[in-house]
Amino acid sequence: MPNALAQEKSPYLLQHADNPVAWLPWGEAAFARARAEQKPIFLSIGYSTCHWCHVMAHESFEDEAIAALLNMHFIPVKVDREERPDVDKVYMAYVQAMTGRGGWPLSAWLTPELKPFFGGTYFPPDDRQGRAGFPSLLRAIAGGWANERDKLVAEGERVLSALRGHQDGVAQDDDGSGGKPLIEAAGTAFEQGFQYFFEAFDPAHAGFGGAPKFPRASNLAFLFRIAALQGADSELGREAVKLAGATLRAMARGGIHDHVGGGFHRYSVDEGWFVPHFEKMLYDQAQIAVNCLEAKQATGDERFAWMARDIFGYVARDLTDPAGGFHTAEDADSAVAAGAAEHAEGAFYVWTEGELRSLLGDDFGFAAAHFGVKPDGNVPENLDPQGELRGKNILAMPRGLAETARQFRLEPEAANDRLLAILAQLRTARAGRPRPLRDDKVVTANNGLMISALAKAHQILGGGADEPLAYLAAATRAAEFVERELSDPATGTLFRVWRQGRGTAPGFAEDYAYLIQGLLDLYEAGFEIRWLQWAVRLQATMDAVFWDAARGGYFNSAAEAADIVLRLKEDYDGAEPAPSSVAALNLLRLAAVFEGERADGYRGRGVRCIEAFRAQWTRAPHAMPQLLCALESALESPRHVVLAGDPAAPDFRALAAVLHERLGPRRALLAADGGAGQRWLAERAPWIAPMAPRSGLATAYVCEDFTCQAPATSPAELRRQLGG
């Protein structure tokens, strides 16, 4: 008989609806039952595409005996971390503080008042090598709750107090900058941040550090920002671009890249980007695409443009909802064959030599040479501890196409055509396999990131005349979806998720920060004033709900959230950037348009947001590379380019294209369209009012510190004014 999760919409919660565990969703019903029965809560947090979540579910949560232990002694509660990131971050902080590590599935035991007193991640179903298995642990905790409850409750209080003290003390700690002005502290942080990545760079495989290797996009964003500020042709700029570009190229060659279907897997378990953890996340696709677009700007290398198009093609085909929003992820696991009960990680993506030989015929030799295919599989045993990839081949490119072309005596263009035909065959064949589960919920934050990426693609990718417009159309459809389905215009608030209807969880700080960023980018791509207007309204809501008036920065959750025992502020740019890191730049971008130096306005709040984390970014600049990217706008005079004319006209678009040919300093981009948009802007920034086309031609006004150069009506003149 299904448990209470059968009434939920989350794919992750629905995966557990038929467990014998009497799961309850996170909420007052579960809390009230824990209080009434005076039982601890067992909290299990994961997400639908999490491999080890599946493993623990199969080993423990589907086991009748283990379920009986859970149901007898605890109130079992399941949380989808993508629906409730605020809950996840509180208890992840606890587990990391207690054990020194974290991850999913996250397992925590709470008092009925939601205070944690024990936790960990994955637990095996039996005792192994001196480590207690899950049933033994459940019995021990149940015994402790019955006989030493006061000690457990006191432990929960102690750890929460320590976490609260750490949170409160971050802004007050000596940051080691000796009270330097922001500009001096920022300069030191930039130097130390670059030095960290320079020294951590892996010269053999690219990327930073050793295994496992994650495509942490904020690292590359920081390096490209250095190149933009120093000049891509300067010594430091060239080195920054070299590190970032080499990392992207290595990722594109490796097994972390889905060569057949496009896009990138979550991370590689080895240092060479070869064996991936096969899940694919929307937030990775969006951020890696932006890295590729900036690499294209920095180098002019069309290979980076191809990488971005590869990602956008995958997202359009496999992660786009018919209504316009973008789905969250695809699982790593799938059935090993049609109708098979057995599932394995990577089953959808890997190939035996026999499969490839049979499918490709005369093209097999070319494909095998290019992708490193071996008769007995190409995955070393030490990288396949579960044995799921034995005899299988992960497609990767151990060498360039030019080398393969020489081996087969082909011209480069002919080799490329042959490779594309092979990939098309493989894509068709793979489509007949059982697909991994797609988590089809639409998350506001992730959609904000994808809107940004598509808006930038419209700006940067030339291609055919229709290509950039297709990216702009996709970004616009997604923004309209979020506006229609995930926002409440009456209150100005956002909701977190949509799946077969709007979810109940409110939007969190990351939802606001990422979406505001996306709307600012969307305005600068298509110049529809509605997106800038909405960004302004959302920023006001974000400030009202999440801003820390005492110390600066943004909390993850709202003050009135009764089910959150500790309000946290993110101080690390990980797989996704901290909300405050993104919000700081959003504020400074708004300040560049609407105000000067007012301390109580956007600029003052943006600077204070940066200062709130000074202790972190001065001690460990590499921990907050995304926040460092905002420092440029905090320290330099605002720069603007106002384009006067019809944004849909070819001459206007020709001028706009010049603005994105190269990496450079940040500029606020505005349209003086002669209509409602310009009137709205002029009410808030009067200096825009007189700007108009010259001689009937679209005209660019390049301004710095509110002083403008002579109007430019040709791409060549605009390029000259920008220093091109």
Side-chain angles (χ1 to χ4, degrees):
M1 180 178 176
N3 55 48
L5 299 185
Q7 305 304 313
E8 298 296 306
K9 292 181 178 179
S10 157
Y12 176 64
L13 299 187
L14 290 171
Q15 286 173 353
H16 295 270
D18 291 318
N19 291 168
V21 179
W23 294 114
L24 292 172
W26 181 265
E28 181 54 33
F31 311 152
R33 185 173 164 192
R35 292 192 298 267
E37 298 182 19
Q38 281 301 291
K39 289 181 179 179
I41 292 169
F42 169 66
L43 175 62
S44 177
I45 302 177
Y47 55 103
S48 68
T49 60
C50 164
H51 174 70
W52 284 101
C53 300
H54 300 330
V55 173
M56 191 166 177
H58 177 66
E59 292 177 341
S60 294
F61 302 146
E62 295 173 9
D63 183 276
E64 295 283 351
I66 293 176
L69 278 173
L70 276 169
N71 296 339
M72 179 181 297
H73 298 293
F74 305 95
I75 305 299
V77 173
K78 263 285 177 194
V79 167
D80 181 341
R81 68 173 293 263
E82 292 166 340
E83 281 194 329
R84 292 300 304 265
D86 56 336
V87 175
D88 175 60
K89 286 169 182 174
V90 168
Y91 298 108
M92 182 64 75
Y94 165 76
V95 168
Q96 288 174 328
M98 192 181 84
T99 68
R101 59 190 180 89
W104 298 276
L106 180 66
S107 304
W109 284 261
L110 322 179
T111 69
E113 293 72 38
L114 310 183
K115 296 174 181 177
F117 61 84
F118 191 79
T121 54
Y122 163 81
F123 293 103
D126 45 39
D127 299 346
R128 296 176 185 174
Q129 300 173 338
R131 181 185 179 189
F134 193 50
S136 298
L137 192 60
L138 292 175
R139 293 187 187 96
I141 293 173
W145 185 257
N147 302 315
E148 297 183 290
R149 183 179 307 185
D150 290 346
K151 288 184 179 179
L152 297 181
V153 171
E155 171 63 9
E157 293 282 3
R158 184 192 68 78
V159 176
L160 273 181
S161 295
L163 289 172
R164 193 173 292 112
H166 170 76
Q167 184 81 12
D168 292 344
V170 164
Q172 301 170 7
D173 284 350
D174 177 12
D175 54 40
S177 65
K180 292 179 182 177
L182 180 60
I183 191 169
E184 292 183 31
T188 301
F190 259 78
E191 291 175 12
Q192 292 177 345
F194 174 78
Q195 191 65 28
Y196 173 87
F197 291 118
F198 180 80
E199 293 175 358
F201 183 74
D202 178 351
H205 307 102
F208 306 97
K213 275 197 175 150
F214 289 83
R216 187 180 170 210
S218 55
N219 294 351
L220 305 190
F222 171 70
L223 291 170
F224 285 126
R225 209 67 235 137
I226 287 177
L229 293 173
Q230 297 292 324
D233 295 329
S234 68
E235 182 178 357
L236 186 59
R238 284 196 302 272
E239 192 62 37
V241 170
K242 176 183 173 183
L243 301 181
T247 298
L248 289 171
R249 288 192 297 271
M251 288 166 53
R253 292 191 300 268
I256 192 173
H257 175 213
D258 180 2
H259 295 267
V260 173
F264 286 82
H265 299 295
R266 181 68 198 91
Y267 64 89
S268 71
V269 302
D270 63 299
E271 71 278 5
W273 304 104
F274 176 50
V275 179
H277 177 44
F278 286 90
E279 65 183 315
K280 296 166 89 173
M281 315 299 291
L282 178 66
Y283 60 72
D284 281 328
Q285 313 310 318
Q287 294 178 94
I288 295 170
V290 173
N291 289 157
C292 295
L293 293 169
E294 292 194 325
K296 165 64 167 63
Q297 286 182 300
T299 65
D301 190 334
E302 282 296 325
R303 288 177 295 180
F304 295 118
W306 171 85
M307 286 179 66
R309 292 184 178 103
D310 172 84
I311 292 170
F312 294 131
Y314 161 66
V315 171
R317 184 182 63 251
D318 293 332
L319 289 182
T320 301
D321 190 90
F326 299 109
H327 296 158
T328 297
E330 287 194 295
D331 204 345
D333 298 28
S334 59
V336 296
E342 181 187 356
H343 283 58
E345 181 172 5
F348 182 71
Y349 299 100
V350 297
W351 307 82
T352 65
E353 186 209 40
E355 287 173 325
L356 292 171
R357 188 182 293 277
S358 174
L359 178 65
L360 297 176
D362 292 343
D363 284 330
F364 169 75
F366 183 96
H370 190 64
F371 288 115
V373 174
K374 296 181 179 179
D376 298 323
N378 63 5
V379 182
E381 286 187 20
N382 65 306
L383 298 180
D384 181 27
Q386 307 301 314
E388 293 176 303
L389 302 175
R390 190 174 296 120
K392 303 297 177 66
N393 288 277
I394 295 172
L395 300 188
M397 296 193 301
R399 58 182 178 176
L401 183 58
E403 185 177 342
T404 306
R406 285 194 297 271
Q407 178 182 343
F408 288 85
R409 299 180 180 180
L410 294 171
E411 292 297 320
E413 186 174 347
N416 187 63
D417 290 343
R418 190 171 185 182
L419 178 61
L420 292 176
I422 288 168
L423 290 173
Q425 281 184 275
L426 296 180
R427 195 176 304 118
T428 299
R430 202 174 75 173
R433 294 177 173 180
R435 282 197 72 91
L437 176 138
R438 181 175 62 232
D439 188 321
D440 59 355
K441 65 178 179 287
V442 177
V443 176
T444 299
N446 297 344
N447 275 251
L449 293 174
M450 199 68 218
I451 290 167
S452 280
L454 288 163
K456 290 179 181 295
H458 171 79
Q459 295 171 323
I460 295 167
L461 295 181
D466 295 332
E467 181 190 13
L469 293 177
Y471 297 134
L472 181 63
T476 300
R477 286 187 73 220
E480 290 173 341
F481 178 93
V482 175
E483 185 177 32
R484 181 176 67 250
E485 303 291 350
L486 284 162
S487 72
D488 182 349
T491 62
T493 55
L494 295 173
F495 291 85
R496 172 68 177 176
V497 297
W498 179 95
R499 183 176 185 271
Q500 300 172 3
R502 177 190 294 170
T504 58
F508 303 104
E510 65 187 54
D511 296 296
Y512 285 84
Y514 299 176
L515 181 59
I516 292 166
Q517 174 184 260
L519 295 174
L520 294 175
D521 291 334
L522 184 54
Y523 169 74
E524 291 189 348
F527 298 102
E528 287 191 78
I529 198 66
R530 58 175 169 156
W531 304 127
L532 182 56
Q533 292 169 334
W534 191 21
V536 168
R537 295 194 299 272
L538 287 176
Q539 188 63 58
T541 303
M542 184 178 185
D543 292 344
V545 176
F546 302 103
W547 179 251
D548 181 356
R551 296 181 177 87
Y554 291 91
F555 290 109
N556 294 331
S557 55
E560 64 271 15
D563 57 352
I564 298 298
V565 295
L566 178 64
R567 287 184 89 194
L568 295 174
K569 284 187 288 188
E570 287 285 300
D571 61 356
Y572 182 77
D573 296 322
E576 301 159 274
S580 292
S581 296
V582 176
L585 184 55
N586 291 343
L587 289 162
L588 293 166
R589 291 174 71 179
L590 290 168
V593 176
F594 295 118
E595 64 186 32
E597 300 293 328
R598 281 175 39 218
D600 61 339
Y602 292 127
R603 182 174 180 79
R605 184 159 292 191
V607 171
R608 194 170 174 217
C609 190
I610 292 169
E611 288 281 19
F613 299 93
R614 186 192 277 218
Q616 176 75 326
W617 58 257
T618 52
R619 287 178 184 160
H622 59 278
M624 300 195 80
Q626 196 72 41
L627 186 68
L628 294 183
C629 292
L631 282 166
E632 166 196 0
S633 298
L635 297 172
E636 297 191 355
S637 299
R639 300 179 180 90
H640 308 83
V641 176
V642 180
L643 299 179
D646 176 4
D651 59 347
F652 186 105
R653 289 169 57 190
L655 291 176
V658 173
L659 301 174
H660 309 291
E661 290 174 345
R662 301 171 57 186
L663 272 185
R666 295 192 191 279
R667 297 180 177 90
L669 308 183
L670 299 163
D673 60 6
Q678 187 170 0
R679 288 194 296 274
W680 184 85
L681 286 170
E683 289 172 2
R684 293 153 181 83
W687 55 274
I688 295 174
M691 294 183 174
R694 294 295 183 95
S695 303
L697 298 173
T699 303
Y701 297 84
V702 178
C703 310
E704 186 168 343
D705 203 15
F706 302 101
T707 300
C708 299
Q709 299 185 45
T713 56
S714 72
E717 177 58 21
L718 176 57
R719 194 174 290 114
R720 186 193 66 77
Q721 291 188 7
L722 296 175

